[in-house]
Structure formats: C-alpha cells, structure tokens
Amino acid sequence: MASISVPNPAPSPTEDAESIRKAVQGWGTDENALIEILGHRTAAQRAEIAVAYEGLYDETLLDRLHSELSGDFRSALMLWTMDPAARDAKLANEALKKKKKGELRHIWVLVEVACASSPDHLVAVRKAYRAAYASSLEEDVASCSLFGDPLRRFLVRLVSSYRYGGGGVDGELAIAEAAELHDAVVGRGQALHGDDVVRIVGTRSKAQLAVTLERYRQEHGKGIDEVLDGRRGDQLAAVLKAALWCLTSPEKHFAEVIRTSILGLGTDEEMLTRGIVSRAEVDMEKVKEEYKVRYNTTVTADVRGDTSGYYMNTLLTLVGPEK
Amino acid sequence: MASISVPNPAPSPTEDAESIRKAVQGWGTDENALIEILGHRTAAQRAEIAVAYEGLYDETLLDRLHSELSGDFRSALMLWTMDPAARDAKLANEALKKKKKGELRHIWVLVEVACASSPDHLVAVRKAYRAAYASSLEEDVASCSLFGDPLRRFLVRLVSSYRYGGGGVDGELAIAEAAELHDAVVGRGQALHGDDVVRIVGTRSKAQLAVTLERYRQEHGKGIDEVLDGRRGDQLAAVLKAALWCLTSPEKHFAEVIRTSILGLGTDEEMLTRGIVSRAEVDMEKVKEEYKVRYNTTVTADVRGDTSGYYMNTLLTLVGPEK
C-alpha cells in the first residue's frame, strides 16, 4: 500500500504548475510549497503537472528543480518527480557507472529494478533506458567487467526477464524446484553457482516462486533466505537472497535498504532516498510495518535521527504518518 | 521491401468482412475469394477486418477459417491472418513443443523470432506469448531439457534481448569485438562456447553488430558466416550464423529457410509457409533477389514446383510477381 496522501479533489495540473512557478520565481525559493505540492501527488498527476509546467513556461520542471534546489533535497525531489520507469533507468545507469559497482549496495539497485516491480514495469524501464543512454540495460550489465560470472550471468538474466504475470502455479514444479534450490544452496563453494539457480530465479513467475519458497520452508523447517544468510562472504548468495525477497516480499528488502542506509558511520543518503522514493507509491505501508517488527524502531524515527531540513521533510512527507 | 500488393483504395473492413462471410457461407467455400481478400491486405487491415468480422457475425475470423479450411492451405492462411506478434509467439511455442526441438530447423524458429524483427516487435511477441501460454518465452526456452548449455544460454539470451534500436555505433568497440569473435570462432572445440560470443551477439545493437561484422571481413578477408560454415557438425556455430544473419541480413537467412524447405525428399511445408508468411510484409523482395543470386532459380519457380492448389495460390499471392 502506498504511503503518500493525495488531496481529493486535487488542484488541476495547470493550477499546480502555477503554484510551483510561484514557489520558484524571484528571489528565494519556497521549498516547503514544492514538497507540499509534489509530495502529495501520484505519478500520473506529477506527469501531468510536468507537461502543464513545460507548456506554460517553456522550460522543463526537472530543469527548473535542478537549477533551483541543491544537495540531497534536490536529488530526492527530482527523483520523486520523474516518471517511475525513467527513474529506475537512471538509478540502474548510475549504479553501473559507480567505481565500486561490484559492491553489494550497488548491485542491489539492479536487483530492485529487475525484480521489485511488475514485469511490465521492467519492460518500460528497459525502454526508457534505451531512449536515455543509447545502449540497452542488459548490454551494459553484460559488458560490465566488474561482475564476474556467474554473478554477471544472473544479473543479465534478471534485468532481461519478462516473467509470466498471472497467478497460475504448478505444484509439482514447485516441489521439484524447491529441491533443486536446496541442493544448490546447501552445497559448498561452487554448488550455488549452478545454472539451475539462475534459471529458476531468473525466469519463473512471482506466483510460482512464492509457492516454491513456501514448499522449501515446509520441507526444511526454515526459509531459503535464512539458509542464504548463513553463507557469509558469498556475494552470489547475498544477491540471490535480495532477488528472492524483491520478487516475493519486497517490503523485507526495502526495510533492509533503509536500515542499512541509516546504520554505520554517516548516512548513505543515496540509498535512503532510493528506498523511500521507490516504494512510497508502491508498498511503503508494508515496509514500515516490516521495519517496526524487525528493527524495533520506525522509519520515521530513523529518518528524523539521520536527516534534517527540507530533505527530511521530503522523506517524511513520502513516508507518511506512522500508525 | 514487402512483396504483397494492396488495392488503393482498399474496401472498408466491414465490406471485406462481408465479402469473407459470403465466401465461407452455405455449401462449399470460395477459397480464391479468401486469398484474394486477405492476401492483399496489410497486418493493420487484417486486424481491422477481424474486428469487423467478429462484431458482425459473433464468431472470430480465425475460428471460422479453422472450421472452413484444411491442410497446408488452412495453416498458411490462418498464420497470415493472425497478428504478427501473436503469430511469432505461436511459432515459437510450437517449435518448443516439437519432439525433435533440438534439431536446427526448429531452433531456427526461435532465432528468427528473437533476431529477425525489431527489438520492439520481440517485446510484443513476449507479451503475446505470456498472454497465450501462461508462461514466459524465456522460461520455456530455459527449461527445455533438449538444449544443452551453452546453446540454451545463447537462446535464452536471444529471446530475452531488448537491443538498443538506434543507429549510433562505437568503432573501437567494433574492432575489439571483431577480434573477440575471431578468437572464438577459429578456436577449436570449446572455444566457440565462451561467454563473450553469447554476450556480444546477444546484447549489441543491430547497427553495432553490422559494423563489427564488416570489420571482421576487412581484417580476415572473409565473413564470419563463411568461417562458421566451415565448422561442420558444430550446432552452436550453425545457430550463431543464423543469429548473425537474422540480425544483420535476414534476407540471407530466409532465402536459406525457403530453399531448405524445398530441397530433399518431400517438402517441409511448415518451414516453407513460415518463411513466406513471416517475410511477405517485411523484406520478401530482398529475399527473392537473394534467392535468385544464390540458387539460380526463383522463389516462385520453387513454390510452383513443390506445392499445388489453394496452398500454392496463397504462397504465390504473398510472394508477389518476380521481376
């Protein structure tokens, strides 16, 4: 469930565009007005506002936000204002350009883009990626020399997938593939690197995978995520766990993303922004519940503790009230 | 260039639907009228006719053709009448259900669907596949036990691709990748099976691959297709050649498809129909030219020699006159 709140009735896109213009015109900027408007509109409404704004003032809304704002606040409000598919294309492209793109926190971005939304959304992301970067997403992942195989092969498969989106499942297949996954994850060293894991996790529908993982849990008394957690230092295991979570219970993954960005020395604002902006319109209410249960604190409390100013206001607006 | 001819102005979809109804109503069927109408309409027009037909007569056009016609004629006219993306989804699904799906002629179907049309068309095919078969195309390729790796991995990559569709190319990349391909194809045994071949052919844009292959030809005095032809008995080499042809000069591949269907004991009608129906609206004029140059005969002469009746008439209508 989405965490943002939208006034009903909302002002027309033209009214919103005019209010935004007032907030950015002349000396100084009314940052709170920008948050108040954009932070309380759906993706479809924001898209209409951007069209209205460009029509009225002959400059794009994103260009204006870029020149008017700065720092983490600018990044957060611009990412939020973008079309979600273009946003994911941009996040994936930035992750692929990092010097340390081999690190788990950057690989997470690719996994999220590939697995945490609908198959049709991924197609839209790939389309946006081709339009923006003169290459394809899978091409850039495949030619990234920092990923070794089989991790690279796994990531290419994930970003290339267009999974069946229906709810039908095959119970016998789930039993067989739960066993195949088990053989792979309990084996030592290379065993996890088998093609079967890549194939199963890379191609099966979310509904099918959910049944397979449930079967796994029944059969072995614990979830495959716990077993994968036990393979410390095995990067493929960590990526596999993230993929399975994004595919079948994304709130678990994004609770971990937000918490990871908060913990440790300094805050990872990029990761924090991404986690909140990506999910505010999708399942942030579930992320907040998961966060409470798992970390014994709230997203709101952690955001308040680690951020400030307009940046904090933006994130809190998107996170919405705690229950 | 397309080989079909369309009357200008064409009758309205409703008029065409009514004429088709007359042709299939009562005792006997006016097969020639069906060929005359459907064989001279574009995909967009055929789609409109199908909608008009269903609206007027409360049965789908394809169902009626199925119950009214038979044999190779029925297959050809129905495949032609279908939406091209749904047709490719059906062809791929049938190829994957064959007992001998490991044979090159069945693998060709998957390569054609993946490589011989635009990247956006492949996305449409994958969407149609999911809608029709409750699984994804790449899922069914990946779980097909008759393909061993690395062939399976290559095919999965091909059917999952969404290549950059622009014309921009990177000359230095072409030089580097032409060399990588050369190392792979002249190496013995396993060398061809390297991941680089899969990556390059599976992800690069058509424009980029064309420059890479041209570079290869300049550097080595002959095309990579000729080198691959020299690797007799190597199935991956044969599939790789088909993929490169479909990506950069599909008329060569489809001339070979049609010729192969004609040669040998008996005609392979399925292959012949597929070759002609798939390309009649795309590049059949180029296929016909290529056919003349390479085989010293014409598509028309070979179709006349190996087929008869309404089936022949359908194919010849789609092939159009020889020049």
Side-chain angles (χ1 to χ4, degrees), chain B residues 177-193:
Chain B
E177 295 192 339
E180 285 182 64
L181 287 178
H182 186 67
D183 287 348
V185 298
V186 299
R188 279 190 244 163
Q190 290 306 305
L192 183 55
H193 301 171

Side-chain angles (χ1 to χ4, degrees), chain A residues 183-197:
Chain A
D183 287 349
V185 298
V186 299
R188 279 191 244 163
Q190 292 306 305
L192 183 55
H193 301 171
D195 286 332
D196 281 331
V197 173

Side-chain angles (χ1 to χ4, degrees), chain A residues 119-120 123 126-127 130 134 136 138-139 142 149 153 156-157 160-165 195 199 203-204, chain B residues 119-120 123 126-127 130 134 136 138-139 142 149 153 156-157 160-165 195 199 204:
Chain A
D120 282 312
V123 171
R126 294 169 76 189
K127 196 171 194 123
R130 290 160 83 241
S136 73
E138 70 264 26
E139 178 177 13
D149 276 325
R153 198 180 296 152
V156 171
R157 185 71 67 86
S160 307
S161 68
Y162 188 29
R163 297 168 199 268
Y164 172 58
D195 286 332
R199 177 181 59 76
T203 65
R204 295 302 184 197
Chain B
D120 282 312
V123 172
R126 293 169 76 191
K127 197 170 193 122
R130 290 160 83 242
S136 74
E138 70 266 26
E139 178 177 14
D149 278 324
R153 199 179 295 151
V156 171
R157 184 71 66 88
S160 307
S161 68
Y162 188 28
R163 297 168 199 270
Y164 174 57
D195 285 331
R199 177 182 59 75
R204 295 302 184 199

Side-chain angles (χ1 to χ4, degrees), chain A residues 107-174:
Chain A
I107 296 175
W108 268 359
V109 181
L110 300 174
V111 173
E112 291 162 15
V113 166
C115 304
S117 299
S118 74
D120 282 312
H121 177 77
L122 178 54
V123 171
V125 172
R126 294 169 76 189
K127 196 171 194 123
Y129 195 101
R130 290 160 83 241
Y133 306 111
S135 58
S136 73
L137 173 56
E138 70 264 26
E139 178 177 13
D140 288 352
V141 175
S143 52
C144 174
S145 58
L146 263 185
F147 305 139
D149 276 325
L151 175 62
R152 179 159 67 174
R153 198 180 296 152
F154 184 50
L155 292 174
V156 171
R157 185 71 67 86
L158 291 181
V159 302
S160 307
S161 68
Y162 188 29
R163 297 168 199 268
Y164 172 58
V169 295
D170 179 335
E172 280 184 38
L173 187 69

